[in-house]
Structure formats: structure tokens, C-alpha cells
Amino acid sequence: MITKDEKILVTDYRYFEQAQQQTNFEVVLHAGHTGHKGKIFEEVANQANLRKLEKIGFEETHISYGFHRNFDEMLNAELIPTFDVVEKIRMIKSPDEIEKIREASRITDEAYVHITKFIKAGMKEMDVADELVRFIKAQDGGSAGFPPIVASGIRSSLAHGRATDKVIEKGEMITIDFGASYEGYWADISRTVAIGEPSEKMKEIQKVVLKSFNDCVENIKSGMQDTEVDALMRKYLIETGYNELSGTGTGHGIGLEVHEKPLFSVQKDKVLEKDMTITVEPGIYLKGIGGARVEDVLLITDDGCESLTPSTKQLIIIDA
């Protein structure tokens, strides 16, 4: 609960001590503290009524009809549905948040450089994913938010192909997508490497993806709408006939969550502003052949953007 002067977290016995350690909220233990959800909502209503609140906004996409009905019966205040109130505030990062995202990005970038020296033909995709996690933890980062994507050969056409026991073979390209966290804030990058010389078709789609990425990043700036960012990224994909084979999104905001607002699309939904942190991630996916994607974490500035993950986006060919 957020009021004009207070921030309150209502929880049960299991998380009471942990919440006191990990938040700067006033932590309230609900009366039932047996894990029964009804009791915790009764305590929320009690806290609101004690403060004589007249209007309470609730997150309309997170509260079920049943919970709303129960709340309405228990509260003296008027319930007002809201959408993305906190999420919109979170889009603009504070200096402290930017520094944490910088550190998460630094760890992520170093992990990528490390993994290019680690990968060998004959390894399993899971070996690569496990080494990424090990390296990130050794750098005081976290990696539990999403397991690394390591998709080799024809599996790289799977946009979100999680690492498997598949053996990486000579001539295959590998799409790697992962990120580290630092003090709760995330980074997220995608890169493409090859074990020995890949096919000409795979080298072609990597070049198209990289040019699409550069065309967008070199021209992106504050004041742009979703549609303009999307058009910058897709221009070369359309020119080369690959746009229909690029089903993933243009990019997304990043911070406390790996994917948060703004989410780029063809809708005129959001406008880029200074101190937003976002990703841009063009990709091409050819069923039965393979795929490629490039993604960076970007900090929007007054006159452009700064890449927080500057490691090379060029295709790295590892000696087989």
C-alpha cells in the first residue's frame, strides 16, 4: 500500500523477517498469518480503514473479480481501477538505478567475452549455459531470472530455444541470449557465434540482423514513438525480404524486470525519454536452417543513446 506519506507491505509470518531485511517499507504482519489469502486481504482493508482513506487505486490487471468484490465489502474507501501507474514511473531510471544496470551490463558483457573463449565443438549447449551462470555468479551477479538461451545449428531458429543436451558441431552457428542481475537490476544481450565457418546463408542473415540493429541504434533518440523505433529496426529487414521471418519484438524496457515498459510495437503507445533503459533486438529465424539475433542494453540520452553492453556484435568464428 502506497499513501501520500507511507509505504506499507502486508505479509504473513513466513516472509515477515525477510521483508524487514529486504525492503524499506513498514512491514505489517497480518492477523491470521496462516498463509490463508483471505486473511491478508482483510489486513490490507484494515490498514486502509485505519487511515480513513477515501479513494484507493488498485491494479486492474492483477486483482481478480473475487478479490475486488471482497475488498469492496471490507473497505470504506472507493475503489478506482488503475493501469500501469507504477510501471510508467519506473520507465525513467534514477542515477542509482542506472549505475546498477551499468554494473549488471558490465558483468553480462564480460561473461560473453569469456564464453567465446570457452565454447568448443563437442560441448553440449547446457555446458555453455552452465558456464555462463558460473561466471556471472563469480562476478557477484545473479542469473536466476531467466536461464540462458543457447541454441545451436537448426535449433537457433527457435527464438527462445533454451539450452539442451544437444552437442554443438563444427559449422554451426549459435544464438546466445542471457543477462546478469546486480542488486535487483537486469541486463539482457543476444549474440551470435559460429564454430568454424558457417554456411553462406547463415552469414547472410547475421549481416542483415546486424545492419538492422545498427540502423536503429545509430538513429534512436529521445522523443521517438514506438512506431518510429520499430520502423528504424525493420527498414532493412523489409528491404531484404526478411521481415516476415523476424517474428520477435523490436525491443523492450529493462530494469527491475528483464522485460518491462516500454515495450516497442507498431502501436503509438510510448515515447522514448532521457534515462530510459531499453533493448533493441532484431532477429531472423529460418525453420530447418537456423537463426541469428543481436541485442544490447541501451541508455537513452538527450541526443541519442549509449550502449551499456559494448562487446562486439560481429559474428565471432571460433576455431573448430
Side-chain angles (χ1 to χ4, degrees):
M1 289 180 55
I2 309 291
T3 72
K4 183 178 179 180
D5 304 308
E6 297 176 280
K7 46 189 181 180
I8 303 150
L9 177 63
V10 181
T11 188
D12 64 47
Y13 182 82
R14 296 168 298 173
Y15 307 112
F16 184 67
E17 182 181 356
Q18 183 178 352
Q20 290 177 312
Q21 294 174 0
Q22 296 183 356
T23 74
N24 58 0
F25 279 53
E26 176 190 345
V27 183
V28 174
L29 179 67
H30 78 75
H33 62 78
T34 60
H36 177 56
K37 288 184 178 178
K39 296 290 185 182
I40 204 165
F41 277 78
E42 288 172 16
E43 186 60 47
V44 171
N46 178 51
Q47 294 294 324
N49 291 336
L50 283 172
R51 287 161 177 80
K52 295 182 169 56
L53 301 182
E54 296 179 1
K55 294 181 179 181
I56 297 176
F58 69 92
E59 296 174 295
E60 63 181 41
T61 59
H62 295 278
I63 299 295
S64 70
Y65 177 80
F67 280 140
H68 179 274
R69 183 184 58 196
N70 291 336
F71 258 147
D72 206 25
E73 293 172 356
M74 292 185 285
L75 286 168
N76 299 325
E78 177 188 0
L79 281 169
I80 301 172
T82 67
F83 179 71
D84 272 6
V85 172
V86 174
E87 288 82 352
K88 287 176 181 175
I89 295 169
R90 277 172 48 182
M91 288 195 297
I92 309 296
K93 303 303 190 283
S94 69
D96 180 61
E97 288 180 304
I98 291 170
E99 287 310 305
K100 289 173 181 176
I101 295 169
R102 278 188 189 280
E103 182 62 12
S105 299
R106 181 194 66 78
I107 295 169
T108 301
D109 237 26
E110 289 189 4
Y112 173 65
V113 173
H114 167 75
I115 211 66
T116 61
K117 300 170 184 175
F118 175 85
I119 299 175
K120 299 287 186 296
M123 284 183 177
K124 295 178 180 178
E125 293 171 345
M126 191 62 73
D127 296 332
V128 177
D130 289 346
E131 179 61 16
L132 281 169
V133 171
R134 185 206 66 77
F135 184 91
I136 288 169
K137 288 181 177 178
Q139 299 294 310
D140 295 326
S143 62
F146 65 110
I149 291 170
V150 181
S152 61
I154 62 172
R155 289 194 71 252
S156 60
S157 68
L158 304 174
H160 290 155
R162 301 300 184 197
T164 68
D165 285 334
K166 178 192 172 298
V167 173
I168 299 169
E169 299 179 6
K170 180 180 178 180
E172 289 186 332
M173 270 178 40
I174 311 163
T175 298
I176 302 172
D177 184 329
F178 72 101
S181 68
Y182 180 76
E183 295 189 5
Y185 288 82
W186 285 96
D188 183 16
I189 68 171
S190 299
R191 299 287 189 269
T192 310
V193 302
I195 303 295
E197 282 291 325
S199 69
E200 290 303 313
K201 189 65 173 178
M202 292 302 294
K203 286 194 281 189
E204 176 189 326
I205 66 170
Q206 164 65 15
K207 287 179 181 177
V208 172
V209 166
L210 183 54
K211 179 168 171 48
S212 298
F213 173 87
N214 287 333
D215 287 350
C216 186
V217 171
E218 289 168 6
N219 293 284
I220 205 170
K221 59 184 177 182
S222 60
M224 282 187 167
Q225 288 187 317
D226 283 19
T227 44
E228 295 173 289
V229 177
D230 187 77
L232 277 175
M233 189 276 280
R234 295 195 184 278
K235 183 174 181 293
Y236 192 58
L237 290 171
I238 293 169
E239 289 175 5
T240 54
Y242 281 113
N243 191 49
E244 297 304 314
L245 298 166
S246 178
T248 49
T250 305
H252 54 84
I254 190 165
L256 285 169
E257 295 176 273
V258 178
H259 294 84
E260 61 181 41
K261 299 295 175 75
L263 304 172
F264 301 121
S265 68
V266 294
Q267 305 295 321
K268 290 186 177 180
D269 185 37
K270 298 289 187 298
V271 175
L272 286 183
E273 296 182 55
K274 182 178 180 292
D275 292 337
M276 282 184 175
T277 47
I278 66 167
T279 74
V280 169
E281 51 176 314
I284 296 173
Y285 313 97
L286 308 179
K287 184 179 179 181
I289 298 173
R293 181 167 62 248
V294 171
E295 177 184 23
D296 260 3
V297 180
L298 307 172
L299 172 66
I300 302 301
T301 61
D302 285 321
D303 54 359
C305 70
E306 175 192 352
S307 172
L308 303 185
T309 47
S311 61
T312 183
K313 268 66 74 178
Q314 296 288 341
L315 174 64
I316 291 179
I317 299 178
I318 297 167
D319 188 352

Short mmCIF file of all heavy atoms in Angstrom, two decimals, residues 223-275:
data_model
loop_
_atom_site.label_atom_id
_atom_site.label_comp_id
_atom_site.label_asym_id
_atom_site.label_seq_id
_atom_site.Cartn_x
_atom_site.Cartn_y
_atom_site.Cartn_z
N GLY A 223 12.24 11.29 -27.56
CA GLY A 223 11.17 11.92 -28.33
C GLY A 223 10.55 11.02 -29.37
O GLY A 223 9.48 11.33 -29.90
N MET A 224 11.20 9.89 -29.67
CA MET A 224 10.66 8.96 -30.67
C MET A 224 9.52 8.13 -30.08
O MET A 224 9.54 7.75 -28.92
CB MET A 224 11.75 8.00 -31.17
CG MET A 224 12.68 8.60 -32.16
SD MET A 224 13.80 7.34 -32.83
CE MET A 224 14.47 8.24 -34.22
N GLN A 225 8.53 7.83 -30.93
CA GLN A 225 7.45 6.94 -30.54
C GLN A 225 7.82 5.50 -30.88
O GLN A 225 8.74 5.22 -31.64
CB GLN A 225 6.16 7.32 -31.26
CG GLN A 225 5.54 8.61 -30.74
CD GLN A 225 4.17 8.86 -31.37
OE1 GLN A 225 4.00 8.66 -32.56
NE2 GLN A 225 3.21 9.29 -30.56
N ASP A 226 7.03 4.58 -30.30
CA ASP A 226 7.19 3.15 -30.59
C ASP A 226 7.32 2.89 -32.08
O ASP A 226 8.20 2.15 -32.52
CB ASP A 226 5.96 2.37 -30.10
CG ASP A 226 5.96 2.17 -28.61
OD1 ASP A 226 6.69 2.89 -27.93
OD2 ASP A 226 5.25 1.27 -28.14
N THR A 227 6.40 3.47 -32.82
CA THR A 227 6.34 3.19 -34.26
C THR A 227 7.63 3.59 -34.97
O THR A 227 8.06 2.91 -35.90
CB THR A 227 5.16 3.95 -34.90
OG1 THR A 227 5.14 5.28 -34.39
CG2 THR A 227 3.84 3.29 -34.55
N GLU A 228 8.22 4.69 -34.55
CA GLU A 228 9.46 5.17 -35.19
C GLU A 228 10.64 4.25 -34.88
O GLU A 228 11.46 3.98 -35.75
CB GLU A 228 9.76 6.59 -34.73
CG GLU A 228 8.72 7.62 -35.17
CD GLU A 228 8.96 8.98 -34.57
OE1 GLU A 228 8.76 9.16 -33.36
OE2 GLU A 228 9.36 9.89 -35.33
N VAL A 229 10.72 3.79 -33.63
CA VAL A 229 11.78 2.84 -33.26
C VAL A 229 11.61 1.55 -34.04
O VAL A 229 12.57 1.00 -34.60
CB VAL A 229 11.76 2.56 -31.74
CG1 VAL A 229 12.83 1.53 -31.37
CG2 VAL A 229 11.99 3.85 -30.95
N ASP A 230 10.38 1.06 -34.10
CA ASP A 230 10.09 -0.18 -34.83
C ASP A 230 10.43 -0.04 -36.32
O ASP A 230 11.03 -0.93 -36.92
CB ASP A 230 8.62 -0.54 -34.65
CG ASP A 230 8.27 -1.89 -35.24
OD1 ASP A 230 8.59 -2.91 -34.59
OD2 ASP A 230 7.68 -1.94 -36.33
N ALA A 231 10.08 1.11 -36.91
CA ALA A 231 10.34 1.33 -38.34
C ALA A 231 11.84 1.38 -38.62
O ALA A 231 12.30 0.86 -39.65
CB ALA A 231 9.67 2.62 -38.80
N LEU A 232 12.62 2.02 -37.74
CA LEU A 232 14.07 2.07 -37.91
C LEU A 232 14.67 0.68 -37.95
O LEU A 232 15.52 0.36 -38.78
CB LEU A 232 14.71 2.85 -36.76
CG LEU A 232 14.73 4.38 -36.83
CD1 LEU A 232 15.29 4.94 -35.54
CD2 LEU A 232 15.57 4.85 -38.02
N MET A 233 14.23 -0.18 -37.03
CA MET A 233 14.78 -1.52 -36.95
C MET A 233 14.37 -2.38 -38.14
O MET A 233 15.15 -3.17 -38.66
CB MET A 233 14.34 -2.18 -35.62
CG MET A 233 15.04 -3.50 -35.31
SD MET A 233 14.25 -4.92 -36.11
CE MET A 233 12.89 -5.22 -35.01
N ARG A 234 13.13 -2.20 -38.61
CA ARG A 234 12.59 -3.10 -39.65
C ARG A 234 12.90 -2.66 -41.08
O ARG A 234 12.71 -3.44 -42.02
CB ARG A 234 11.08 -3.25 -39.47
CG ARG A 234 10.74 -3.94 -38.17
CD ARG A 234 9.32 -4.44 -38.09
NE ARG A 234 9.09 -4.98 -36.77
CZ ARG A 234 9.44 -6.21 -36.39
NH1 ARG A 234 10.02 -7.02 -37.27
NH2 ARG A 234 9.23 -6.63 -35.17
N LYS A 235 13.39 -1.44 -41.26
CA LYS A 235 13.60 -0.92 -42.61
C LYS A 235 14.44 -1.87 -43.45
O LYS A 235 14.06 -2.24 -44.57
CB LYS A 235 14.25 0.46 -42.54
CG LYS A 235 14.46 1.14 -43.89
CD LYS A 235 14.99 2.55 -43.70
CE LYS A 235 15.19 3.25 -45.03
NZ LYS A 235 16.27 2.66 -45.84
N TYR A 236 15.60 -2.28 -42.95
CA TYR A 236 16.48 -3.13 -43.75
C TYR A 236 15.95 -4.57 -43.83
O TYR A 236 16.14 -5.24 -44.84
CB TYR A 236 17.89 -3.12 -43.17
CG TYR A 236 18.93 -3.74 -44.09
CD1 TYR A 236 19.13 -3.23 -45.37
CD2 TYR A 236 19.69 -4.82 -43.69
CE1 TYR A 236 20.07 -3.79 -46.23
CE2 TYR A 236 20.64 -5.39 -44.53
CZ TYR A 236 20.81 -4.87 -45.80
OH TYR A 236 21.74 -5.43 -46.65
N LEU A 237 15.26 -5.01 -42.78
CA LEU A 237 14.63 -6.33 -42.82
C LEU A 237 13.60 -6.39 -43.95
O LEU A 237 13.50 -7.39 -44.68
CB LEU A 237 13.95 -6.66 -41.49
CG LEU A 237 14.85 -6.92 -40.29
CD1 LEU A 237 14.02 -7.00 -39.01
CD2 LEU A 237 15.66 -8.21 -40.46
N ILE A 238 12.85 -5.31 -44.11
CA ILE A 238 11.84 -5.25 -45.18
C ILE A 238 12.53 -5.20 -46.54
O ILE A 238 12.13 -5.91 -47.47
CB ILE A 238 10.92 -4.02 -44.98
CG1 ILE A 238 10.09 -4.21 -43.71
CG2 ILE A 238 10.03 -3.80 -46.20
CD1 ILE A 238 9.34 -2.97 -43.27
N GLU A 239 13.57 -4.37 -46.66
CA GLU A 239 14.29 -4.24 -47.93
C GLU A 239 14.86 -5.56 -48.39
O GLU A 239 14.91 -5.85 -49.60
CB GLU A 239 15.42 -3.21 -47.80
CG GLU A 239 14.94 -1.78 -47.67
CD GLU A 239 16.10 -0.81 -47.43
OE1 GLU A 239 17.27 -1.26 -47.46
OE2 GLU A 239 15.83 0.39 -47.21
N THR A 240 15.33 -6.39 -47.46
CA THR A 240 15.97 -7.67 -47.82
C THR A 240 14.99 -8.84 -47.85
O THR A 240 15.38 -9.96 -48.15
CB THR A 240 17.10 -7.99 -46.82
OG1 THR A 240 16.57 -7.94 -45.48
CG2 THR A 240 18.23 -6.98 -46.96
N GLY A 241 13.72 -8.56 -47.56
CA GLY A 241 12.71 -9.61 -47.62
C GLY A 241 12.66 -10.52 -46.41
O GLY A 241 12.00 -11.56 -46.45
N TYR A 242 13.31 -10.13 -45.33
CA TYR A 242 13.36 -11.00 -44.14
C TYR A 242 12.38 -10.59 -43.04
O TYR A 242 12.31 -11.27 -42.01
CB TYR A 242 14.78 -10.99 -43.56
CG TYR A 242 15.75 -11.88 -44.29
CD1 TYR A 242 16.82 -11.33 -45.00
CD2 TYR A 242 15.60 -13.27 -44.28
CE1 TYR A 242 17.72 -12.15 -45.67
CE2 TYR A 242 16.50 -14.08 -44.95
CZ TYR A 242 17.56 -13.52 -45.65
OH TYR A 242 18.45 -14.33 -46.30
N ASN A 243 11.63 -9.54 -43.24
CA ASN A 243 10.79 -9.06 -42.15
C ASN A 243 9.76 -10.10 -41.71
O ASN A 243 9.46 -10.23 -40.51
CB ASN A 243 10.07 -7.77 -42.54
CG ASN A 243 9.39 -7.10 -41.36
OD1 ASN A 243 10.00 -6.92 -40.31
ND2 ASN A 243 8.13 -6.76 -41.52
N GLU A 244 9.22 -10.86 -42.66
CA GLU A 244 8.23 -11.88 -42.32
C GLU A 244 8.85 -13.04 -41.55
O GLU A 244 8.12 -13.86 -40.98
CB GLU A 244 7.55 -12.40 -43.59
CG GLU A 244 6.76 -11.35 -44.34
CD GLU A 244 5.69 -10.68 -43.48
OE1 GLU A 244 4.96 -11.41 -42.78
OE2 GLU A 244 5.62 -9.44 -43.49
N LEU A 245 10.18 -13.11 -41.54
CA LEU A 245 10.87 -14.18 -40.81
C LEU A 245 11.52 -13.62 -39.54
O LEU A 245 12.45 -14.21 -39.00
CB LEU A 245 11.93 -14.82 -41.71
CG LEU A 245 11.36 -15.49 -42.97
CD1 LEU A 245 12.46 -15.78 -43.97
CD2 LEU A 245 10.61 -16.77 -42.60
N SER A 246 11.00 -12.47 -39.09
CA SER A 246 11.52 -11.82 -37.89
C SER A 246 10.36 -11.58 -36.93
O SER A 246 9.89 -10.46 -36.78
CB SER A 246 12.19 -10.49 -38.26
OG SER A 246 12.66 -9.83 -37.12
N GLY A 247 9.92 -12.65 -36.29
CA GLY A 247 8.69 -12.59 -35.51
C GLY A 247 8.84 -12.03 -34.11
O GLY A 247 7.83 -11.76 -33.45
N THR A 248 10.05 -11.86 -33.62
CA THR A 248 10.22 -11.34 -32.27
C THR A 248 10.03 -9.82 -32.25
O THR A 248 10.06 -9.17 -33.28
CB THR A 248 11.62 -11.69 -31.71
OG1 THR A 248 12.60 -11.34 -32.68
CG2 THR A 248 11.72 -13.16 -31.40
N GLY A 249 9.84 -9.26 -31.07
CA GLY A 249 9.60 -7.83 -30.94
C GLY A 249 10.82 -6.99 -31.24
O GLY A 249 11.95 -7.49 -31.34
N THR A 250 10.60 -5.69 -31.36
CA THR A 250 11.70 -4.75 -31.64
C THR A 250 12.63 -4.62 -30.44
O THR A 250 13.84 -4.53 -30.57
CB THR A 250 11.11 -3.38 -32.00
OG1 THR A 250 10.21 -3.54 -33.08
CG2 THR A 250 12.20 -2.40 -32.37
N GLY A 251 12.04 -4.58 -29.26
CA GLY A 251 12.83 -4.41 -28.05
C GLY A 251 11.92 -4.13 -26.87
O GLY A 251 10.70 -4.17 -26.98
N HIS A 252 12.52 -3.81 -25.73
CA HIS A 252 11.74 -3.65 -24.51
C HIS A 252 12.53 -2.85 -23.49
O HIS A 252 13.76 -2.75 -23.54
CB HIS A 252 11.38 -5.03 -23.93
CG HIS A 252 12.57 -5.92 -23.71
ND1 HIS A 252 13.35 -5.87 -22.57
CD2 HIS A 252 13.12 -6.89 -24.48
CE1 HIS A 252 14.32 -6.77 -22.65
NE2 HIS A 252 14.22 -7.40 -23.81
N GLY A 253 11.82 -2.31 -22.52
CA GLY A 253 12.47 -1.70 -21.38
C GLY A 253 13.09 -2.77 -20.49
O GLY A 253 12.73 -3.94 -20.56
N ILE A 254 14.04 -2.35 -19.67
CA ILE A 254 14.71 -3.29 -18.77
C ILE A 254 15.09 -2.56 -17.49
O ILE A 254 15.42 -1.36 -17.52
CB ILE A 254 15.95 -3.92 -19.45
CG1 ILE A 254 16.50 -5.07 -18.61
CG2 ILE A 254 17.03 -2.89 -19.76
CD1 ILE A 254 17.48 -5.95 -19.36
N GLY A 255 15.01 -3.25 -16.38
CA GLY A 255 15.32 -2.64 -15.09
C GLY A 255 15.13 -3.66 -13.98
O GLY A 255 15.87 -4.63 -13.90
N LEU A 256 14.12 -3.46 -13.13
CA LEU A 256 13.83 -4.44 -12.08
C LEU A 256 13.31 -5.74 -12.67
O LEU A 256 13.41 -6.79 -12.05
CB LEU A 256 12.78 -3.86 -11.12
CG LEU A 256 13.28 -2.80 -10.15
CD1 LEU A 256 12.11 -2.12 -9.44
CD2 LEU A 256 14.24 -3.40 -9.12
N GLU A 257 12.76 -5.68 -13.87
CA GLU A 257 12.36 -6.87 -14.62
C GLU A 257 13.14 -6.90 -15.93
O GLU A 257 13.53 -5.86 -16.45
CB GLU A 257 10.87 -6.87 -14.91
CG GLU A 257 10.00 -6.97 -13.67
CD GLU A 257 8.53 -6.87 -14.00
OE1 GLU A 257 8.01 -5.75 -14.07
OE2 GLU A 257 7.91 -7.93 -14.20
N VAL A 258 13.35 -8.11 -16.45
CA VAL A 258 14.05 -8.23 -17.73
C VAL A 258 13.22 -7.59 -18.84
O VAL A 258 13.76 -6.94 -19.73
CB VAL A 258 14.34 -9.72 -18.05
CG1 VAL A 258 15.03 -9.85 -19.41
CG2 VAL A 258 15.21 -10.33 -16.96
N HIS A 259 11.90 -7.79 -18.80
CA HIS A 259 11.00 -7.16 -19.77
C HIS A 259 10.03 -6.27 -19.01
O HIS A 259 9.20 -6.76 -18.24
CB HIS A 259 10.21 -8.23 -20.55
CG HIS A 259 11.06 -9.08 -21.44
ND1 HIS A 259 11.74 -10.19 -20.98
CD2 HIS A 259 11.36 -8.98 -22.75
CE1 HIS A 259 12.40 -10.74 -21.98
NE2 HIS A 259 12.19 -10.02 -23.06
N GLU A 260 10.17 -4.96 -19.21
CA GLU A 260 9.24 -4.02 -18.61
C GLU A 260 8.97 -2.89 -19.59
O GLU A 260 9.55 -2.85 -20.68
CB GLU A 260 9.78 -3.50 -17.27
CG GLU A 260 11.10 -2.74 -17.35
CD GLU A 260 11.58 -2.29 -15.96
OE1 GLU A 260 11.46 -3.07 -15.00
OE2 GLU A 260 12.07 -1.15 -15.86
N LYS A 261 8.07 -1.99 -19.25
CA LYS A 261 7.73 -0.89 -20.14
C LYS A 261 8.96 0.01 -20.36
O LYS A 261 9.76 0.16 -19.44
CB LYS A 261 6.58 -0.06 -19.54
CG LYS A 261 5.30 -0.85 -19.34
CD LYS A 261 4.71 -1.32 -20.67
CE LYS A 261 3.50 -2.21 -20.47
NZ LYS A 261 2.29 -1.48 -20.07
N PRO A 262 9.13 0.59 -21.57
CA PRO A 262 8.25 0.49 -22.73
C PRO A 262 8.50 -0.79 -23.54
O PRO A 262 9.63 -1.26 -23.62
CB PRO A 262 8.65 1.72 -23.56
CG PRO A 262 10.11 1.91 -23.24
CD PRO A 262 10.26 1.51 -21.80
N LEU A 263 7.43 -1.34 -24.10
CA LEU A 263 7.53 -2.49 -25.00
C LEU A 263 7.25 -1.98 -26.41
O LEU A 263 6.15 -1.53 -26.70
CB LEU A 263 6.51 -3.57 -24.59
CG LEU A 263 6.62 -4.06 -23.15
CD1 LEU A 263 5.45 -4.98 -22.82
CD2 LEU A 263 7.94 -4.79 -22.93
N PHE A 264 8.24 -2.06 -27.28
CA PHE A 264 8.11 -1.46 -28.61
C PHE A 264 7.21 -2.29 -29.51
O PHE A 264 7.28 -3.51 -29.50
CB PHE A 264 9.48 -1.32 -29.28
CG PHE A 264 10.42 -0.46 -28.47
CD1 PHE A 264 11.62 -0.97 -28.02
CD2 PHE A 264 10.08 0.83 -28.15
CE1 PHE A 264 12.48 -0.20 -27.28
CE2 PHE A 264 10.93 1.61 -27.40
CZ PHE A 264 12.14 1.10 -26.96
N SER A 265 6.39 -1.60 -30.27
CA SER A 265 5.48 -2.27 -31.20
C SER A 265 5.08 -1.28 -32.28
O SER A 265 5.60 -0.17 -32.35
CB SER A 265 4.23 -2.75 -30.44
OG SER A 265 3.47 -1.64 -30.01
N VAL A 266 4.12 -1.70 -33.11
CA VAL A 266 3.62 -0.80 -34.15
C VAL A 266 2.55 0.14 -33.59
O VAL A 266 2.02 0.97 -34.31
CB VAL A 266 3.05 -1.60 -35.34
CG1 VAL A 266 4.14 -2.37 -36.04
CG2 VAL A 266 1.93 -2.54 -34.88
N GLN A 267 2.23 0.01 -32.29
CA GLN A 267 1.27 0.90 -31.67
C GLN A 267 1.95 2.20 -31.24
O GLN A 267 3.10 2.20 -30.82
CB GLN A 267 0.64 0.23 -30.43
CG GLN A 267 0.01 -1.12 -30.71
CD GLN A 267 -1.19 -1.02 -31.63
OE1 GLN A 267 -1.97 -0.10 -31.53
NE2 GLN A 267 -1.32 -1.97 -32.54
N LYS A 268 1.25 3.32 -31.32
CA LYS A 268 1.76 4.59 -30.81
C LYS A 268 1.46 4.66 -29.32
O LYS A 268 0.56 5.36 -28.87
CB LYS A 268 1.14 5.77 -31.56
CG LYS A 268 1.60 5.88 -33.00
CD LYS A 268 1.05 7.15 -33.66
CE LYS A 268 1.57 7.29 -35.08
NZ LYS A 268 1.05 8.50 -35.75
N ASP A 269 2.23 3.90 -28.56
CA ASP A 269 1.91 3.70 -27.15
C ASP A 269 2.83 4.48 -26.23
O ASP A 269 2.40 5.07 -25.25
CB ASP A 269 1.99 2.20 -26.84
CG ASP A 269 1.56 1.88 -25.43
OD1 ASP A 269 0.62 2.53 -24.94
OD2 ASP A 269 2.16 0.98 -24.81
N LYS A 270 4.13 4.49 -26.53
CA LYS A 270 5.11 5.10 -25.64
C LYS A 270 6.04 6.03 -26.42
O LYS A 270 6.26 5.85 -27.62
CB LYS A 270 5.94 4.02 -24.94
CG LYS A 270 5.13 3.08 -24.05
CD LYS A 270 4.66 3.78 -22.79
CE LYS A 270 4.00 2.81 -21.81
NZ LYS A 270 2.81 2.16 -22.32
N VAL A 271 6.61 6.99 -25.70
CA VAL A 271 7.61 7.91 -26.27
C VAL A 271 8.90 7.74 -25.49
O VAL A 271 8.88 7.69 -24.26
CB VAL A 271 7.13 9.37 -26.20
CG1 VAL A 271 8.22 10.31 -26.69
CG2 VAL A 271 5.86 9.56 -27.01
N LEU A 272 10.02 7.62 -26.19
CA LEU A 272 11.31 7.49 -25.52
C LEU A 272 11.66 8.78 -24.79
O LEU A 272 11.47 9.87 -25.32
CB LEU A 272 12.41 7.18 -26.54
CG LEU A 272 12.47 5.77 -27.12
CD1 LEU A 272 13.66 5.65 -28.04
CD2 LEU A 272 12.53 4.72 -26.04
N GLU A 273 12.20 8.63 -23.58
CA GLU A 273 12.63 9.77 -22.80
C GLU A 273 14.02 9.52 -22.24
O GLU A 273 14.44 8.37 -22.07
CB GLU A 273 11.65 10.04 -21.65
CG GLU A 273 10.26 10.43 -22.09
CD GLU A 273 9.36 10.74 -20.92
OE1 GLU A 273 9.74 11.60 -20.10
OE2 GLU A 273 8.29 10.13 -20.82
N LYS A 274 14.74 10.60 -21.97
CA LYS A 274 16.06 10.52 -21.38
C LYS A 274 16.03 9.68 -20.10
O LYS A 274 15.11 9.77 -19.31
CB LYS A 274 16.59 11.92 -21.08
CG LYS A 274 18.00 11.97 -20.51
CD LYS A 274 18.43 13.41 -20.30
CE LYS A 274 19.84 13.51 -19.73
NZ LYS A 274 19.93 13.00 -18.35
N ASP A 275 17.06 8.84 -19.93
CA ASP A 275 17.25 7.97 -18.77
C ASP A 275 16.33 6.76 -18.75
O ASP A 275 16.20 6.09 -17.73
CB ASP A 275 17.12 8.74 -17.44
CG ASP A 275 18.27 9.73 -17.26
OD1 ASP A 275 19.33 9.52 -17.86
OD2 ASP A 275 18.10 10.72 -16.52
#
